[in-house]
Amino acid sequence: MTERKRIDSWLSDMDGVLVHEGLPVPGADEFIKRLDESGKPFRVLTNNSIYTPRDLSVRLRAAGLEVPPESIWTSALATAQFLHDQRPGGSAYVIGEAGLTTALHEVGYILTDLDPDYVVLGETRTYSFTQLTRAIRLIESGARFIATNPDPVGPSTEGSLPACGAVAAMITKATGVEPYFVGKPNPRMMRSALNAIEGHSETTAMIGDRMDTDIVSGMEAGLFTILVLTGVTQRDQVDRYPYRPSLVVESVADLIDLI
């Protein structure tokens, strides 16, 4: 564990850190309030590309957490920003929901299946065989392949659902083309959120519950990484990884006094 530096800005994962199975993690409401009162910039991050920040803000409010839309950063926003930086005013064939299509529209992208610059794969609850077939043929014709995140499965009340990473693997198997994943664990997700709050890596903390996404991407982006034990990774699993978080705490309740 490394010595803690002054923390001037904060990034936090959402699921497993602030909420768990739709319920707020104990202390999360006070943590968010303290951040808001401090005036320190922060962003809540999620690899989920289905929802817009406004949608997620409403869902968090239903769980008792007041997080404004402008304080939420999704893999869809990071993907749209990446494409805008790479090829401004480009075009894309998109498989995804409003979170992704809205983000791409807002950076001036044209959504089309006629000779697009990119095929962009995001999360959706209704992956269509027709859409996937079209994506495969467009990639075979030269479209560049982008995916919002590599998560292979997502949760539901009935059990696991195939997610973006699993569907991307199917397209790769059919085309031989690997996608560029923008979301965690790509450190670009962290850097884009950092740029959004005009933060500096040496004085920004990243809070997460997963060693293999949150902590590794935070570390690679040069952030102070904090693992909370309210989600996926348990304390006895930390030493299995070749990298370590800067700090391990039980929950965000233990971080309130650090703000």
Side-chain angles (χ1 to χ4, degrees):
M1 307 242 177
T2 60
E3 182 180 350
R4 181 173 64 86
K5 298 180 180 180
R6 184 185 76 254
I7 300 173
D8 293 330
S9 51
W10 295 79
L11 303 178
S12 173
D13 186 39
M14 186 170 68
D15 294 316
V17 177
L18 301 177
V19 292
H20 183 67
E21 296 181 353
L23 298 174
V25 170
D29 56 343
E30 181 60 30
F31 177 75
I32 294 295
K33 288 177 185 176
R34 185 69 65 86
L35 272 178
D36 188 51
E37 291 168 356
S38 74
K40 292 183 177 181
F42 73 97
R43 286 292 185 278
V44 174
L45 277 61
T46 177
N47 259 1
N48 190 318
S49 65
I50 291 177
Y51 304 107
T52 66
R54 185 179 299 175
D55 297 332
L56 290 170
S57 178
V58 171
R59 292 169 73 89
L60 287 170
R61 184 178 300 119
L65 302 178
E66 289 292 336
V67 181
E70 58 269 22
S71 294
I72 297 174
W73 190 251
T74 71
S75 64
L77 293 175
T79 297
Q81 186 61 60
F82 171 74
L83 294 183
H84 176 67
D85 292 344
Q86 291 288 306
R87 193 175 292 266
S91 60
Y93 177 68
V94 179
I95 299 176
E97 300 287 347
L100 182 56
T101 57
T102 300
L104 288 168
H105 275 305
E106 287 179 347
V107 298
Y109 254 64
I110 297 169
L111 307 189
T112 179
D113 66 349
L114 300 176
D115 192 28
D117 296 315
Y118 297 95
V119 166
V120 182
L121 177 68
E123 302 282 7
T124 175
R125 297 293 187 235
T126 55
Y127 285 111
S128 159
F129 185 80
T130 301
Q131 287 182 314
L132 295 176
T133 299
R134 184 63 177 151
I136 288 167
R137 291 173 180 170
L138 289 170
I139 291 169
E140 288 176 334
S141 297
R144 302 153 189 87
F145 187 17
I146 300 289
T148 57
N149 62 283
D151 302 52
V153 295
S156 77
T157 54
E158 294 83 20
S160 296
L161 294 172
C164 187
V167 178
M170 180 174 67
I171 294 174
T172 294
K173 189 69 173 178
T175 62
V177 178
E178 296 276 352
Y180 180 72
F181 291 107
V182 178
K184 299 177 292 182
N186 189 339
R188 184 178 182 88
M189 175 84 169
M190 301 295 168
R191 294 193 186 106
S192 61
L194 196 62
N195 290 338
I197 60 175
E198 298 182 345
H200 193 286
S201 60
E202 291 186 356
T203 55
T204 300
M206 170 62 200
I207 312 167
D209 71 306
R210 295 188 65 111
M211 288 289 291
D212 56 351
T213 56
D214 305 318
I215 301 304
V216 69
S217 56
M219 177 196 69
E220 291 179 352
L223 310 181
F224 184 87
T225 54
I226 303 172
L227 177 72
V228 294
L229 304 176
T230 48
V232 173
T233 306
Q234 300 304 306
R235 189 180 295 275
D236 62 358
Q237 298 173 322
V238 175
D239 282 340
R240 299 180 187 178
Y241 293 86
Y243 47 87
R244 295 177 63 82
S246 308
L247 181 67
V248 179
V249 296
E250 292 297 325
S251 75
V252 289
D254 299 311
L255 301 175
I256 293 171
D257 291 338
L258 297 184
I259 299 173

